[in-house]
Amino acid sequence: MCNVGHPSQPPRAPTQVQTRRTKQTTPRSSGSFRSPTTSNPTSELENYDTIALNMFGEAIQKMKTMGARQVMLQVLNFATVIATGLMIWKGLGLALNNESPIVVVLSGSMEPAFYRGDLLFLHNPRDTPFEVGDITVYKLNGVEVPIVHRILETHTLRLNPLKQKILTKGDNNFDDDLGLYNGREWLDREHLIGKVRGFIPYIGYVTIAMNDFPWLKYILIGILGLLALFQRE
């Protein structure tokens, strides 16, 4: 299922360089050729921790040189930025009639239409029924992550066209989504968050990286906070 959140070049042969012989030979430095080494995840995390500590240490020293009034002003500026972002998100949700107007593809079940890391924009039409072929995002009770799949089949009541029974399937899957419905035979319209209206390829990898490496999220938030605090204008 498609959840919402390179070929490498062959190694080149070493280039041979012909030099003139001399009577005295000097030992070849250890930096001439690098032997393949395996990365150590522990040492990499320690390096990241050291960089973060140094960055915050310098920030604290700089804050000590600032006046209390200047610090409070910068804190208010940062809070204004956060509040503005939340207002834009809520306004976008109201305009598009759904609680999650932007989602990220987390798997490859909708390839080749969408790939992992694509950013999707959703719209939930109020007075228009969903149709076969629409790519929708749905969420069931008890399932943490929404799923983006295509509508394979739909049944609409004559008296109320907005009351629909819907069956979905991933483009890259062999079977429909019946096994994902937790014992249900159909999706109701209420389970659908919206249909895909547009996308930006691969930009959602930033979100995926922050989910896979939570420390990256905190570093990014810290950097943004420091930038807001130390911006003089």
Side-chain angles (χ1 to χ4, degrees), residues 117-142:
D118 289 352
L119 194 71
L120 308 182
F121 298 92
L122 308 181
H123 174 241
N124 187 7
R126 291 181 173 85
D127 303 323
T128 305
F130 288 89
E131 299 177 354
V132 173
D134 288 341
I135 299 177
T136 63
V137 175
Y138 66 88
K139 188 177 186 303
L140 296 170
N141 295 331

Side-chain angles (χ1 to χ4, degrees), residues 18-30:
Q18 184 176 3
T19 60
R20 292 180 296 176
R21 294 183 179 178
T22 58
K23 293 182 180 180
Q24 184 178 1
T25 59
T26 57
R28 185 174 297 169
S29 81
S30 59

